[in-house]
Amino acid sequence: MFYSPLNYQGNKSRIVDRLLALLPDDVTCIHEIFCGSAVFSFASGVTRVSLNDINTHITDLIRYFHENGAEEIIGRADAIIGQYGLTNTFYEGKSRYPEQRHEGLSRYNKEAFNRLKADYNADKDIAKLFVLSIYGFNHYLRFNAKGEFNVPVGKVDFVKPLRDKTRAYCSAIQSKEISFSNRDFRDGALYRGVEQTAVFYFDPPYLITQAPYNLFWTEKEETDLLAIIDGLNAEGYRFILSNVIESNGKQNRLLAGWMGRYNVRHIHRQYLNSSYQKKNITGADEVAITNF
Ligand SMILES: C[S@@+](CC[C@H](N)C(=O)[O-])C[C@H]1O[C@@H](n2cnc3c(N)ncnc32)[C@H](O)[C@@H]1O
């Protein structure tokens, strides 16, 4: 298991051990084309990683963790928390803030969080963005068309498990040689001049599940991606593609029709029968598709 303090939507912490078991021993470099918080690359033993994501905010945060020590990052977060008067139950204890079950700490933090959000949107200080990601709803990193962070306050604060994850994530990141880019996955520059001993890891938005970044992912994007992967396969490159074939009654037929030519591992399969309407079967089928 390997966790990031960002709790990024769609991160691969839950299944990273299963994915890493697929990684061949002779891999010299991982190219993550939809890196998000890059849990797969950072949990791996591979030193050189090339990280790409269209979202510059997530790669800026990874850069922040790469360039600064964990204690410095935690110290800066605590200073911002104190400056804005957010709760910090790690130091203050929980008894000071009686919580309603459904609202957690949100009512204590709402006003301070909104002030921090306004200041971040004005100065774009990355240390503030990290604090916003901790105190924001579901740890979402969501921005409006003007590039402003627009997530409402969440229920939690900077608890011990998040501090521990910050230390583990920083130490994993700092052991890597990283190159960053923010290109669309169709940009040919991502695939030129790559050594044959590399592996490409693709964890794109999923057609049939929900996350803020899935809104712009359509069958057109999916088809373009599968064509790129076929092209890499024809050139002798190795790849791993994570995806979901079935989720809550929806099926990704495009992917299911394509994947038969490669190796498909069912990483996580779950079928749920609705108890009051037996015919209504929902399920989840999470796969890793490789050409090795
Ligand atoms: C499922 S998430 C990746 C999560 C990641 N594996 C992790 O562990 O955190 C998919 C990512 O694809 C990125 N993305 C969406 N459209 C993209 C595009 N056209 N080109 C490159 N990246 C894109 C999103 O910003 C998002 O971070």
Side-chain angles (χ1 to χ4, degrees):
M1 286 290 202
F2 176 79
Y3 292 98
S4 125
L6 299 171
N7 289 311
Y8 192 67
Q9 285 281 290
N11 74 74
K12 288 293 153 290
S13 291
R14 203 172 30 83
I15 58 164
V16 71
D17 294 340
R18 302 282 309 277
L19 294 173
L20 287 176
L22 303 175
L23 199 61
D25 289 339
D26 65 339
V27 167
T28 52
C29 184
I30 298 175
H31 287 251
E32 259 207 77
I33 302 296
F34 301 89
C35 71
S37 56
V39 160
F40 175 74
S41 289
F42 294 141
S44 79
V46 178
T47 309
R48 276 190 300 127
V49 298
S50 171
L51 301 181
N52 179 71
D53 200 294
I54 197 117
N55 179 344
T56 53
H57 302 290
I58 187 65
T59 47
D60 285 350
L61 279 165
I62 296 175
R63 237 190 231 105
Y64 178 54
F65 286 105
H66 193 232
E67 290 168 5
N68 297 276
E71 298 315 320
E72 196 178 333
I73 289 171
I74 292 171
R76 270 194 223 168
D78 277 331
I80 292 168
I81 292 165
Q83 182 189 340
Y84 283 84
L86 291 157
T87 65
N88 202 344
T89 53
F90 176 74
Y91 291 111
E92 300 166 324
K94 280 205 111 181
S95 56
R96 189 161 163 193
Y97 303 104
E99 292 177 30
Q100 299 293 329
R101 218 161 24 133
H102 64 284
E103 65 179 17
L105 294 165
S106 59
R107 80 180 145 120
Y108 299 106
N109 286 323
K110 187 171 176 187
E111 195 227 302
F113 180 85
N114 286 339
R115 273 190 288 117
L116 175 61
K117 184 157 68 173
D119 285 356
Y120 166 74
N121 283 330
D123 68 20
K124 296 289 189 287
D125 173 3
I126 192 78
K128 290 188 180 128
L129 181 58
F130 178 45
V131 176
L132 287 171
S133 83
I134 295 170
Y135 286 75
F137 180 73
N138 272 354
H139 304 292
Y140 280 162
L141 269 189
R142 199 182 57 201
F143 295 81
N144 64 19
K146 285 192 245 158
E148 291 164 340
F149 183 85
N150 70 350
V151 178
V153 69
K155 299 178 182 182
V156 299
D157 69 6
F158 200 14
V159 289
K160 182 169 185 306
L162 272 180
R163 291 166 187 268
D164 294 343
K165 287 180 194 176
T166 303
R167 292 192 179 92
Y169 192 62
C170 265
S171 118
I173 292 184
Q174 286 167 12
S175 69
K176 307 290 184 199
E177 279 170 43
I178 310 176
S179 64
F180 292 98
S181 56
N182 297 105
R183 300 176 189 276
D184 178 83
F185 71 95
R186 286 163 282 221
D187 189 328
L190 292 169
Y191 308 99
R192 271 196 291 276
V194 173
E195 61 214 52
Q196 290 283 337
T197 47
V199 75
F200 284 95
Y201 176 57
F202 297 93
D203 183 25
Y206 299 160
L207 262 183
I208 56 172
T209 63
Q210 291 194 333
Y213 48 70
N214 287 7
L215 289 175
F216 308 101
W217 194 261
T218 69
E219 291 206 351
K220 161 89 174 95
E221 277 68 35
E222 188 96 345
T223 307
D224 290 348
L225 173 62
L226 301 182
I228 288 172
I229 295 177
D230 283 336
L232 291 172
N233 176 60
E235 287 173 42
Y237 284 109
R238 294 175 288 190
F239 74 83
I240 304 174
L241 168 64
S242 283
N243 221 299
V244 168
I245 296 300
E246 186 179 338
S247 173
N248 288 327
K250 287 189 227 152
Q251 287 178 335
N252 185 338
R253 292 181 199 284
L254 189 62
L255 187 65
W258 172 86
M259 68 187 188
R261 66 193 83 165
Y262 298 113
N263 301 317
V264 180
R265 273 84 163 194
H266 295 271
I267 298 283
H268 182 73
R269 242 176 178 167
Q270 187 183 37
Y271 288 99
L272 305 168
N273 266 307
S274 158
S275 55
Y276 52 90
Q277 199 185 359
K278 286 270 187 257
K279 278 185 217 149
N280 186 4
I281 296 173
T282 58
D285 186 359
E286 202 166 352
V287 292
I289 304 166
T290 70
N291 62 343
F292 53 85

